[in-house]
């Protein structure tokens, strides 16, 4: 999988095929928010983190994410669901960022 991610990064760098980076700018403009998000992402497995970043930060489709990572669409779906569930239970500080409900 690391080879696929490296290929994807190289492709973006050489082709300039970069989606709208406004989400990245918003996170990086507030260092506290950026730190909270980075810490939450580090709680995920590398596969979950790759899927979450490609799907939600880079706004790629399930099909595009699967192609980049060299996995099936079903794997993308299951990794995404597992990552989101893990963040909901293991990173409650993210709720402070979104204004979500606290238990």
């Amino acid at each position: 999988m690391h080879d696929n991610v490296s290929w994807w990064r190289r492709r973006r760098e050489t082709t300039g095929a970069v989606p709208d980076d406004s989400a990245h700018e918003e996170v990086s403009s507030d260092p506290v928010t950026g730190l909270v998000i980075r810490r939450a992402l580090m709680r995920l497995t590398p596969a979950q983190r790759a899927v979450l970043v490609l799907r939600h930060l880079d706004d790629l489709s399930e099909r595009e994410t699967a192609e980049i990572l060299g996995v099936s669409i079903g794997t993308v779906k299951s990794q995404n669901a597992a990552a989101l569930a893990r963040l909901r239970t293991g990173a409650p500080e993210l709720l402070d960022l979104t204004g979500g409900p606290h238990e």
Side-chain angles (χ1 to χ4, degrees), residues 10-93:
R10 282 191 306 274
R11 183 180 66 100
R12 282 183 52 180
E13 290 169 3
T14 58
T15 64
V18 179
D20 177 18
D21 279 343
S22 60
H24 300 290
E25 292 170 10
E26 289 174 23
V27 170
S28 64
S29 68
D30 178 12
V32 174
T33 300
L35 183 60
V36 168
I37 292 172
R38 279 190 287 286
R39 283 183 179 164
L41 289 173
M42 292 310 296
R43 293 178 180 147
L44 304 175
T45 67
Q48 290 172 341
R49 193 167 39 249
V51 167
L52 212 65
V53 167
L54 291 172
R55 288 283 293 127
H56 301 285
L57 293 179
D58 286 344
D59 200 29
L60 298 181
S61 69
E62 291 170 340
R63 181 177 307 282
E64 291 167 323
T65 301
E67 288 174 7
I68 288 168
L69 297 177
V71 298
S72 70
I73 293 174
T75 297
V76 169
K77 289 178 179 183
S78 65
Q79 290 291 328
N80 186 59
L84 292 175
R86 193 170 193 175
L87 288 177
R88 280 185 205 106
T89 60
E93 66 274 15

